[in-house]
Every structure is written in structure tokens, then in C-alpha cells.
Amino acid sequence: MNAISKDLPAPGSAGSTLQALNQWVVDVAALTRPDAIHWCDGSDAENAALVAKMEADGTLVRLNEQTHPQSWLHRSHPDDVARVEHLTLVCTPEREDAGPNNHWMAPAQAHAKIDALFDGCMRGRTMYVIPYCMGPIDSPLSRCGVEVTDSPYVVANMRIMTRMGAPALARIEREGSFVKGLHSIGELDPERRFIMHFPEELTIKSYGSGYGGNALLGKKCHALRIASHQARSEGWLAEHMLILGLEDPQGKTHYIAAAFPSACGKTNLAMLIPPEGYREAGWKIWTIGDDICWMRPGADGRLYAINPEAGFFGVAPGTSRKSNPNALASIQSHTIFTNVGVTADNQPWWEGIGDDRQPVTDWRGEPYDAAKGPAAHPNSRFTVSAKRCPSYSDKAEDAQGVPISAIVFGGRRASLVPLVFEARDWTHGVLVGAAMGSETTAAATGAVGVMRRDPMAMKPFCGYNFADYFAHWLSFDQPGAQLPKVFHVNWFRKGDDGKFLWPGFGDNLRVLEWMIRRVDGSAEGVETPIGVLPQAGEIDLEGVALAPGARDMLLGFDREGWRAEFEALGAYLAEYGPRMPEALRAEQQRIAEQ
Ligand code: GTP
Ligand code: SPV
Ligand code: MN
């Protein structure tokens, strides 16, 4: 029943014991008119058949089987290479509930608009029904969804990124509820493209893009926009955060969750290999997740986190044996590369790959010509199972999740913001998250390098009004709560010559070490109006080559610069009107007056 093509069940035939699911699939098929319906079971045979079909029609190109076994290149449409924030909508009945942080449309109007695009759009195509589970199949923190799509590339990616197929369907049938995600690549026309969310209906409708966060609906659409909305009413948090375990030489592991905006270093930090000296001393980083974190208070009052994903959809450019050896090791086989270049012998290639191979073909499939731009698109990606990562932790499969000791916020800030500081308490920590700013990257279409507010790295992903979101964060501060300490980092401070002042990558461990020493109470720090900074000597800089003056810039506090920053923050919070929690505005004013 699950074979591809001619022996598919006829449109409308039942694929599940859950009537609500069958009915939805029937309704969707009646709208989109596919030639065939395929219920995905997630099996190897199913994947092999899909891959064969995609190789035959050019959707996937097999890479060098000797150097990169079981790996493929996908070239997306050149106008479809990143998330499209201006076409991404949150459709709540009241505009105010979506907030100034989201593009909004009334639900009835939104459904009408996008259903007109879906009308008949799968004629001549197969419709795939993908049951998936976000998080370990047996975890009470996990949530399920079903994505219906006409893209076999989406099926292959969802199989890597989520727990997809028969076990997920069984859980959905047991629970009786699921997030509905309808997706079609449509005509891949940017003029006919929308990514719409209906949080009250637990529904996503995405049309006209086959790329990443626009199309793999379990990821940003479900696990952040819909989940953040659900999390608010159910008392948990759905965040754009990596999760790592930091094991010290005594064998104790602290778990840290960190929110950095898109293409600002989550994957790299999650897979960090400690610098020389630390490694030998017994420090080790364990990877739990690299992009999304769901957290909820446990019986002991601590926050417990799971990674709802099962794979990594990582930025390729800049990934090298030097910058991220664990990522490079993960993607030696069984990987889908999207929009990278290729070498003469058909190996994947990107800028910053760090060896002397050369590209001959660019991401568009044209002969590589440096004058025409990079060989790999700046937002080119790899999709690979988390289990392939040498630092992947068994704890990532733990149904209970891991207890979080520290939450870290950070962004790309060329000036002002020091390497690290610590919030005084939870309320201050929420303000630090709300105040996040970062320079834009290639992960979304639009200008790159422009400073914008990106509170908690959730600007593109929060499924409701930021004012309510901050209030929800504040609400975790309750009697009995054992909340994590909150920090802010900036790996991207630049000197007058425009070069990064901090070497970053493995050396970021030095900063993580200071954080857990603050958690354990063995580092003093120094109080400033913005929070606690490391005292001189508390961050081990032995063997770190810093430019003259860099240390002071990285670890110093610029009172005048921060005064202006806090004024701008006050204006930003005021944009949300009276809905912005008073506690947050009071905290901003208290610091601004110091
Ligand atoms: P998304 O998958 O889009 O959410 O991105 P991400 O936050 O996981 O970012 P990722 O780790 O893929 O890094 C993005 C870019 O930042 C890459 O080009 C990295 O090489 C670069 N980068 C990561 N960490 C550091 C760092 O510590 N210092 C510097 N200078 N660059 C870094
Ligand atoms: C991001 O942009 O934050 C990503 C890639 O992780 S995407 O899946 O496209 O959202
Ligand atoms: Mn991301």
C-alpha cells in the first residue's frame, strides 16, 4: 500500500485509523487534485524509491559515491533560496494577537487567498502524507503533525529532520490530535508564494516555495510559530535555541540553551570542539540540538529541554575541518546538500570549506566564475541525521529532556556589546533577551548586514504578540522555580580594521566555562549597569592571540554607548503600547537611569 506510483491507494482512500486525519486528507485532495496519494511510512525502501524518482527527474544529483556515499545535491529554484519573512503570515482572529512583530491577515481572508492558489495545484503530481513527531517518540514534551506536500524533496528532508513515518502515525492515532500542514511548491513563483499560520486551528498552509523553513513545515512553522503559541497556553517555551551539554574534567555535565539569530552560530556552538589544553584536561561538548528547543518546568522547578528535531539543516559556507570538525564529520555520507557548488569529481564545495579542492560548477548549475559570485549560495545548507554527529548525546533521545543550567542570548554586533555578560535575575534576563539586536544574514531574503531587533532570535518565528511573549517568559519566575542563569554573548565584535576581535568557534568554550563557574558560584564577576561582566583573569585567555586593545574592548563596559542603546530599547518597548509588561519597562528604566 505504501509503494510509489501506480499501486498507490486511490485519492481519498483511508491511510489511517484516525477519521479526522483521513477526512482532512480527503478534503485536501479534493482541493489540490493530485493524481495519487502516498502515505509515508518512513521506511528505507520508500526513501530509496523516492530518491530514484528524484534522480531520474533531476531533483537530486548523486554526488561522488567514493568520497560522499549516499549523498545528493539539490539545486533549488534560484528565486527560492531562503525564508521569505515578508510573505510569512500569522493569521489570528485579532490582529493585535499576532502583534507588530508579525505580518497578519484575517483567517477567512487568508484561507480564501491561499486556497485559491492550492486549487488544482497537484494535478499531475503525487501528494505525500507525512506523519511526523517533533521530539522523541515517547516523550511527553513531543508534539506531532502531518505535512501534506507535493515535493518528494520535502519528504526526504522531513525524514531526516523529524521522526517521520509509522511510529509517528501510531502516536497521532493514539492522541487523536495533530498539527495540519499543507504544502505545495506550486509554480515556485515568488509572486504566488505565502507561508501562513493559523495558530488557533493548529494549521499551516505554505504555497510556492520548496526551501527550508518555508517548506519543511515541522521546523520553523510548527516547532516555533505554532508551538510557541501552544506553549504559551500550556505553560512551556518553544525557542530558537541550540542545546549543548558541557562536560567538565570532573565528569559533571551542565546543559546550556542558546538563542542566536539565523546564521549567527548555533550549529557551530552546539558542536564545538574545545581548544587545545581544554581538550586534554577533559572538557567536552555534547550536542543535543542546533536550532530549536522546547522547555518546560519539571517537578524540581528546573527547566527541562528537548530538541524537537532529529537532524541538522545547517549552513554550509564556512563549515571546515578547522571551524566545525563535528559538522564536517557528520556530512561525509547520507547527506542532502542544497545549493552548494561541485568540484570536477562531483564533490560538494562551498566557500570556506578549508582545503584546496576547487569548484567547477556553481549552485545554479552553471560553470563557476568567481566574477559572478560565490560557488555556493551563502544560505546553502546540508541536511543530515543528528545521529551522524560524533558529539551527538544519548540524552537527546531522553523522553524527560535535560535540565538547563544557563540560557544564552547573542547576536552579531560589530560594536558596543561585550563578549559576555550575565543578567542579574530572571526579569533582567528577559529584558536582555528582548533587547537583542543583530545584523541580518542570508538565511532570509532581503538585505544582509543591517542591524535589526531580533528579541530572543524569535523575530521571524514567534507565533504571537511579542508583548505577550515577554509576559509569558516573565511568568516562569514563580515560587519554587529553579530558573537557569541568563547570559548574553557577542562573538562578532569588530575592531577598527573591520576584523573580528574574538577568534570564536572552539575558543567560545572559554566563555562557556566562565558561565558554569558563575552557575557553580566559583567566579566573582564585576557588577555594571548592564549586568555582571567577567573580572580580569576570570576568562582564561592563555594562548589566545588577541590584537592590541582587543581584550579591553571585548571585556569592557562603554557607559555612553549603552546609554544610547537603552534609550533606543525604551522606544522599542513602547512600540508595543500598554500590552508590554510593566515589569519589563520598569527594568529598562531602572537600568537607563544608572
Ligand atoms: P541557522 O541554521 O540559520 O539558524 O544558523 P546558526 O545560528 O546555526 O549559524 P551557524 O552555526 O551555521 O553559523 C553561521 C555562520 O556564522 C557560519 O558562516 C559560521 O562560520 C559563522 N560563525 C559561527 N560561529 C562563529 C564564531 O564564533 N565566530 C565567527 N566569527 N563566526 C562564527
Ligand atoms: C534559520 O533560518 O533560522 C534556519 C534555516 O535554521 S530555515 O529552516 O530555513 O529556517
Ligand atoms: Mn535557525
Side-chain angles (χ1 to χ4, degrees):
M1 156 173 157
N2 282 311
I4 309 283
S5 76
K6 53 184 186 308
D7 48 357
L8 288 161
S13 70
S16 167
T17 59
L18 184 65
Q19 179 52 23
L21 174 52
N22 286 327
Q23 188 58 51
W24 176 60
V25 170
V26 167
D27 293 347
V28 163
L31 174 65
T32 59
R33 303 264 154 211
D35 280 12
I37 300 179
H38 177 84
W39 288 72
C40 298
D41 62 10
S43 65
D44 290 344
E46 175 182 83
N47 188 56
L50 272 175
V51 165
K53 178 176 142 79
M54 286 190 278
E55 280 188 13
D57 70 14
T59 304
L60 290 184
V61 177
R62 191 179 277 261
L63 292 165
N64 187 319
E65 190 60 29
Q66 266 73 53
T67 59
H68 291 76
Q70 295 295 300
S71 295
W72 287 269
L73 166 65
H74 171 70
R75 294 191 182 103
S76 75
H77 190 286
D79 291 331
D80 185 30
V81 294
R83 284 181 295 99
V84 282
E85 295 182 3
H86 60 296
L87 302 173
T88 300
L89 311 181
V90 170
C91 307
T92 45
E94 300 296 324
R95 177 190 281 261
E96 269 300 293
D97 291 333
N101 46 300
N102 279 303
H103 298 288
W104 175 86
M105 198 180 281
Q109 188 194 349
H111 281 302
K113 195 165 184 112
I114 202 161
D115 286 354
L117 299 177
F118 277 114
D119 192 358
C121 73
M122 295 191 192
R123 280 204 178 89
R125 300 179 187 173
T126 295
M127 182 173 110
Y128 300 92
V129 181
I130 314 172
Y132 63 86
C133 179
M134 300 310 292
I137 282 281
D138 59 345
S139 172
L141 285 81
S142 299
R143 291 286 184 279
C144 292
V146 178
E147 175 166 0
V148 167
T149 179
D150 55 10
S151 162
Y153 166 81
V154 164
V155 179
N157 277 271
M158 284 289 284
R159 183 169 183 266
I160 298 173
M161 295 304 296
T162 73
R163 279 99 173 159
M164 179 270 254
L169 182 59
R171 177 165 169 161
I172 290 167
E173 289 171 346
R174 233 178 14 253
E175 293 183 335
S177 78
F178 58 95
V179 169
K180 301 182 179 81
L182 171 55
H183 170 254
S184 172
I185 55 171
E187 307 80 39
L188 293 174
D189 174 357
E191 300 298 318
R192 288 165 58 83
R193 181 174 294 164
F194 280 110
I195 325 296
M196 294 181 174
H197 305 74
F198 304 87
E200 266 87 1
E201 301 165 43
L202 299 184
T203 295
I204 303 155
K205 292 186 177 179
S206 166
Y207 189 90
S209 165
Y211 193 85
N214 301 330
L216 312 177
L217 301 186
K219 198 171 171 52
K220 296 307 180 18
C221 299
H222 177 165
L224 288 177
R225 296 193 195 93
I226 299 288
S228 61
H229 193 273
Q230 265 182 315
R232 181 191 173 206
S233 55
E234 297 174 6
W236 49 285
L237 291 165
E239 301 300 326
H240 191 201
M241 292 179 176
L242 68 92
I243 311 166
L244 62 79
L246 173 55
E247 184 179 331
D248 70 16
Q250 287 72 49
K252 179 166 176 134
T253 302
H254 279 284
Y255 294 94
I256 298 177
F260 308 152
S262 301
C264 289
K266 289 182 300 300
T267 301
N268 278 270
L269 191 69
M271 297 180 188
L272 179 153
I273 291 191
E276 235 180 85
Y278 278 82
R279 225 170 18 240
E280 294 72 11
W283 291 90
K284 163 125 185 93
I285 294 274
W286 295 100
T287 308
I288 308 273
D290 82 326
D291 199 51
I292 302 180
C293 164
W294 287 355
M295 288 184 278
R296 101 158 46 224
D300 59 0
R302 301 186 72 184
L303 288 182
Y304 284 78
I306 61 163
N307 169 15
E309 301 190 280
F312 306 124
F313 184 62
V315 176
T319 306
S320 71
R321 209 167 294 284
K322 189 155 172 279
S323 67
N324 193 344
N326 277 322
L328 210 66
S330 310
I331 59 181
Q332 289 312 300
S333 73
H334 299 84
T335 302
I336 299 172
F337 295 89
T338 300
N339 293 340
V340 298
V342 286
T343 64
D345 65 346
N346 218 20
Q347 297 188 48
W349 193 94
W350 50 82
E351 280 66 23
I353 199 166
D355 58 37
D356 40 9
R357 280 173 294 161
Q358 290 301 321
V360 296
T361 308
D362 73 12
W363 63 275
R364 292 184 183 83
E366 285 165 15
Y368 172 61
D369 174 356
K372 289 189 185 154
H377 187 276
N379 192 36
S380 56
R381 301 255 167 181
F382 53 78
T383 319
V384 71
S385 166
K387 292 200 168 126
R388 300 220 159 256
C389 181
S391 56
Y392 190 55
S393 166
D394 289 349
K395 289 279 185 189
E397 304 292 333
D398 189 326
Q400 298 313 311
V402 294
I404 298 297
S405 299
I407 286 176
V408 184
F409 295 117
R412 266 177 204 269
R413 294 295 298 263
S415 61
L416 184 66
V417 181
L419 183 62
V420 60
F421 62 92
E422 178 196 330
R424 266 178 303 275
D425 56 22
W426 186 255
T427 301
H428 182 213
V430 175
L431 184 72
V432 167
M436 267 171 65
S438 195
E439 292 145 26
T440 52
T441 67
T445 55
V448 168
V450 179
M451 245 301 287
R452 72 158 179 184
R453 294 257 167 223
D454 192 351
M456 298 180 178
M458 285 288 278
K459 169 70 185 70
F461 307 120
C462 183
Y464 62 104
N465 190 317
F466 260 156
D468 300 340
Y469 172 72
F470 301 143
H472 182 51
W473 265 80
L474 291 170
S475 76
F476 283 82
D477 193 0
Q478 286 181 6
Q482 304 275 328
L483 293 168
K485 278 187 174 288
V486 179
F487 297 87
H488 190 283
V489 299
N490 179 20
W491 313 141
F492 300 95
R493 185 78 177 262
K494 287 181 177 170
D496 298 334
D497 58 0
K499 292 200 176 117
F500 291 121
L501 289 176
W502 176 247
F505 302 101
D507 285 309
N508 294 335
L509 185 88
R510 300 170 190 277
V511 177
L512 300 183
E513 183 200 1
W514 182 74
M515 290 177 192
I516 65 162
R517 287 183 56 210
R518 286 292 298 160
V519 169
D520 288 343
S522 64
E524 290 265 318
V526 38
E527 289 271 353
T528 76
I530 59 165
V532 179
L533 267 71
Q535 266 182 20
E538 278 184 349
I539 291 194
D540 178 3
L541 295 175
E542 174 93 31
V544 184
L546 292 179
R551 184 182 305 231
D552 289 347
M553 283 169 86
L554 286 166
L555 299 174
F557 165 64
D558 166 4
R559 185 174 291 271
E560 283 317 305
W562 277 101
R563 228 184 271 286
E565 180 82 7
F566 264 83
E567 256 169 52
L569 175 60
Y572 175 68
L573 298 180
E575 284 172 24
Y576 287 78
R579 206 152 166 152
M580 183 58 70
E582 183 50 36
L584 218 54
R585 286 192 291 176
E587 186 74 12
Q588 177 269 332
Q589 270 160 24
R590 201 177 58 70
I591 298 170
E593 282 158 15
Q594 279 178 36

